[in-house]
Amino acid sequence: MNKIIFIILFVSAIYGCTGKISVNKLTIAEGRNIISDSGMVVSAHPQSSRIGIAILRKGGNAVDAAVATEFALAVCYPEAGNIGGGGFMLIRQADGTTDLIDYREKAPLKASRDMYLDASGDVSEGLSTETHMASGVPGTVDGMVNIHSKYGILSFRDVIQPAIDLARKGFPLTDGQAADFNSNRQNFITRNLTPPSFVKDTPWVAGDTLRQESLAQTLERIRDRGRDGFYSGTTARLIVKEMERGNGIISGQDLSEYRASFKDPVLKEYHGYRIISASPPSGGGIVLLQILGMISPYNLKEAGFHTWQSVHLITEAERRAFADRSKFLGDPGFTEIPVDRLLDDNYLARRMSNYSKDSASSSSKIFPGSPLAAVSEETTHYSVADYLGNAVAATTTLNGTFGNSIIVDSAGFLLNNQMDDFSVKPGVPNMYGLVGGEANSIQPGKKMLSSMTPVIIEKDGKLFMIAGSPGGSTIPTSVLQVIINVIDYGMSIRQAVDTGRFHHQWLPDHISYEKNSLDSTNILKLRSMGHELRERNAIGRVNAIMILPDGKKAAGADRRGNNSACGY
Ligand code: DON
């Protein structure tokens, strides 16, 4: 199959599309909302989507394209794309088999439960987010090498080379990126030994070229030596040296021992569709499936779109799912997680037994359930579909925008500040306002609980949708809304992704909503029922692909950000 030469395959209908472009002399469609006949990549930057699609056109499958896209994002979208962070990649092969690779960061061996507390037991401001100590052991490179060796059909060299070329030759910054680099300038200067390539004397403007020679060289070491090009040798030495400079705790042993792992995804049926998502240490999949399970007995269509009735129902389910998250979810290697019981329909019905359709509950009176009794933030998501019927949904992150803004000197890549996703002290919220307890406490070698929710949906045993989002705690609820917008409200993927969103996460006890997403009558009614509502900036940035009844693929690249779809 990989030898097939596509003569001129083309994009049929295009709406909201910015046009056709030529990549390696091949014509592809590009835009936010294209429809394609064959392969498609939707990611946070036009460059990474183009690289992914060029790999498909070269005969690669969805995993080849996903690995190429992930490395490309590390170059063209350093806000979140990374080799110094981690993520989750969900795969569904054309024959329906699914797999999940967990390349989440780990706490270094020198980490300890109270490492972010001062002498009086209070959280030291910024220690888990802005310093060398904020970094977990990176997982992306081992994840990509492993997923590629299990499923890829092109050579590893083929899939990583475009990212190397992009880093060396440079690419034009988007408007949003110029602003991101300018606003983070001071952090880049004060937290690094030598000013990285992200700093220049005059402010960045859209169209300026960013070149990253040190990063190109690091990627070359990975190209030539696979995981050893990162976890041992020069790159590992540079990481350890960087740690020593800034009192960080990642050691050579942490790096050499890091291994990504394959695991079973979680899944649940919802209104005739099978929803497949990431299992722990991401809580995203379980939170999403719990909310779907809790709302599934109710008729959302009848309740109406963004009415007080539907917002109330959904946020009450969200409140209960996030309460469970705070107690039960963490790294399954360290904490026993009652996954089946948390997703059991009877349990979820019991969770909603104190739901009143007329008034808000108070989070102070909603506690985690008892399933055992029955016995400046940035992440990025990309979706890939190939011409063979394989699908990939992957979410990857440094946690904060540009992670901790610390670049490994002479290696050109940013470090994550993922340690903040642990519960640094019981009851103390992390940067996303999430609180947690023992299940997510810090222990050496443990993975911090995530909200990343890559999702693949089947209808009648066939691929139906691929989706995911950044947004910290709002990831599962953003993905949820896209799912119900399509399944219950009958929207196109474009509408489902672009329409407004709202969110509740148990604590803090309020509904947040995007400007213009709810009308004033519904807001007033929800307030009168006892809900607190707060308007906020964008919630999530979903990048999705939907398979249409005729087999064509429709892109939903979120209007929030510079997301871009490529297809042919
Ligand atoms: O793993 C998590 O849940 C977080 N580190 C994700 C961070 C994130 O989505 C930031 N994006 N806006």
Side-chain angles (χ1 to χ4, degrees):
M1 267 320 250
N2 56 336
K3 297 269 173 352
I4 289 179
I5 298 167
F6 291 92
I7 304 175
I8 296 213
L9 284 168
F10 168 34
V11 183
S12 51
I14 300 167
Y15 54 97
C17 170
T18 50
K20 280 184 263 170
I21 59 158
S22 182
V23 174
N24 295 344
K25 302 203 182 79
L26 301 164
T27 305
I28 60 171
E30 181 173 66
R32 283 202 305 108
N33 305 298
I34 56 169
I35 293 183
S36 77
D37 283 331
S38 219
M40 181 173 275
V41 178
V42 189
S43 78
H45 200 284
Q47 298 287 343
S48 43
S49 296
R50 282 176 205 161
I51 284 177
I53 216 75
I55 289 292
L56 288 182
R57 295 296 303 256
K58 203 171 176 174
N61 63 19
V63 172
D64 291 308
V67 173
T69 304
E70 176 103 16
F71 281 120
L73 282 163
V75 177
C76 66
Y77 193 62
E79 290 94 325
N82 65 83
I83 53 173
F88 295 87
M89 185 184 285
L90 178 64
I91 293 153
R92 181 184 184 277
Q93 291 182 268
D95 65 3
T97 51
T98 55
D99 204 355
L100 175 74
I101 186 156
D102 157 11
Y103 51 102
R104 181 73 161 164
E105 300 91 324
K106 275 187 177 176
L109 293 167
K110 288 197 200 105
S112 58
R113 188 190 167 84
D114 297 333
M115 62 189 274
Y116 299 115
L117 306 188
D118 62 18
S120 15
D122 296 323
V123 175
S124 301
E125 182 91 23
L127 209 53
S128 66
T129 52
E130 296 169 11
T131 69
H132 287 72
M133 264 174 79
S135 298
V137 186
T140 299
V141 174
D142 195 57
M144 292 307 110
V145 169
N146 273 288
I147 199 82
H148 178 264
S149 84
K150 188 164 176 186
Y151 293 104
I153 52 179
L154 294 184
S155 71
F156 188 67
R157 173 174 284 268
D158 275 343
V159 298
I160 196 173
Q161 190 62 43
I164 298 171
D165 297 339
L166 192 65
R168 180 158 290 134
K169 290 185 195 142
F171 65 94
L173 292 184
T174 65
D175 209 15
Q177 288 188 297
D180 286 345
F181 286 129
N182 292 335
S183 64
N184 206 55
R185 184 173 197 275
Q186 212 42 40
N187 290 339
F188 287 139
I189 292 172
T190 53
R191 295 186 198 164
N192 291 288
L193 190 61
T194 45
S197 44
F198 306 143
V199 174
K200 72 179 182 74
D201 293 341
T202 51
W204 292 97
V205 293
D208 280 351
T209 301
L210 177 68
R211 290 188 189 84
Q212 301 167 81
E213 178 54 31
S214 304
L215 177 59
Q217 289 173 17
T218 299
L219 290 168
E220 278 174 339
R221 290 192 288 275
I222 298 167
R223 177 195 67 195
D224 297 340
R225 300 185 58 219
R227 66 158 272 129
D228 289 345
F230 186 86
Y231 295 95
S232 62
T234 306
T235 314
R237 269 198 303 281
L238 290 171
I239 296 172
V240 172
K241 196 168 155 205
E242 182 61 49
M243 286 290 135
E244 284 163 358
R245 178 183 78 79
N247 297 321
I249 56 172
I250 298 177
S251 65
Q253 186 184 354
D254 284 314
L255 294 168
S256 66
E257 286 180 2
Y258 182 89
R259 291 287 180 285
S261 46
F262 289 97
K263 42 188 60 165
D264 290 332
V266 286
L267 53 93
K268 192 164 180 62
E269 303 294 324
Y270 176 74
H271 293 179
Y273 294 77
R274 170 166 290 183
I275 320 290
I276 307 160
S277 190
S279 49
S282 181
I286 290 183
V287 167
L288 170 69
L289 299 185
Q290 280 199 307
I291 299 168
L292 287 170
M294 284 188 259
I295 63 175
S296 125
Y298 302 85
N299 189 332
L300 273 183
K301 199 169 173 77
E302 212 169 86
F305 178 67
H306 282 193
T307 58
W308 63 267
Q309 290 94 332
S310 58
V311 174
H312 175 60
L313 169 66
I314 293 164
T315 53
E316 288 297 326
E318 289 175 351
R319 186 197 302 279
R320 286 160 176 78
F322 276 97
D324 277 6
R325 178 195 198 273
S326 74
K327 176 160 180 192
F328 298 110
L329 304 190
D331 181 347
F334 287 73
T335 308
E336 201 165 323
I337 304 175
V339 177
D340 293 344
R341 289 178 215 144
L342 284 167
L343 296 180
D344 177 74
D345 285 331
N346 293 327
Y347 170 68
L348 294 173
R350 281 208 312 281
R351 289 296 277 141
M352 288 296 269
S353 60
N354 58 356
Y355 163 71
S356 151
K357 66 178 177 39
D358 306 311
S359 62
S361 344
S362 160
S363 287
S364 63
K365 299 207 179 77
I366 295 286
F367 304 102
S370 315
L372 302 176
V375 247
S376 175
E377 38 179 283
E378 195 82 46
T379 292
T380 190
H381 176 85
Y382 56 94
S383 295
V384 182
D386 68 17
Y387 51 94
L388 300 164
N390 302 305
V392 173
T395 315
T396 184
T397 188
L398 292 164
N399 194 28
T401 307
F402 301 114
N404 57 5
S405 296
I406 296 170
I407 290 103
V408 175
D409 198 44
S410 306
F413 65 91
L414 281 152
L415 289 166
N416 68 80
N417 55 357
Q418 214 74 252
M419 290 293 282
D420 191 64
D421 272 355
F422 277 117
S423 174
V424 298
K425 185 180 176 183
V428 173
N430 72 3
M431 84 165 76
Y432 303 102
L434 290 166
V435 289
E438 201 46 51
N440 192 30
S441 62
I442 306 174
Q443 288 181 60
K446 184 173 173 181
K447 292 183 170 176
M448 53 300 276
L449 181 59
S450 172
S451 296
M452 288 186 269
T453 314
V455 81
I456 295 180
I457 301 180
E458 290 173 2
K459 168 83 173 147
D460 301 328
K462 292 206 191 92
L463 180 64
F464 176 70
M465 197 200 284
I466 311 165
S469 178
S473 54
T474 67
I475 296 174
T477 58
S478 299
V479 174
L480 168 88
Q481 288 171 83
V482 172
I483 294 173
I484 59 177
N485 289 347
V486 169
I487 295 180
D488 296 299
Y489 294 116
M491 291 184 197
S492 70
I493 193 68
R494 175 192 193 181
Q495 293 169 310
V497 166
D498 280 350
T499 193
R501 299 193 185 115
F502 57 90
H503 169 78
H504 198 302
Q505 60 179 55
W506 180 49
L507 294 175
D509 187 355
H510 65 253
I511 298 174
S512 46
Y513 65 98
E514 290 180 327
K515 194 174 178 149
N516 301 327
S517 62
L518 304 177
D519 69 27
S520 55
T521 319
N522 285 303
I523 291 174
L524 277 176
K525 174 67 184 172
L526 286 160
R527 287 201 168 120
S528 76
M529 293 163 74
H531 286 287
E532 186 185 329
L533 281 96
R534 294 193 196 164
E535 188 181 296
R536 59 160 278 177
N537 51 9
I539 297 178
R541 285 181 183 178
V542 174
N543 279 331
I545 298 174
M546 190 163 117
I547 315 303
L548 302 175
D550 61 4
K552 290 183 177 164
K553 294 164 184 105
D558 208 314
R559 64 178 165 82
R560 304 157 181 89
N562 294 305
N563 302 293
S564 169
C566 275
Y568 67 95

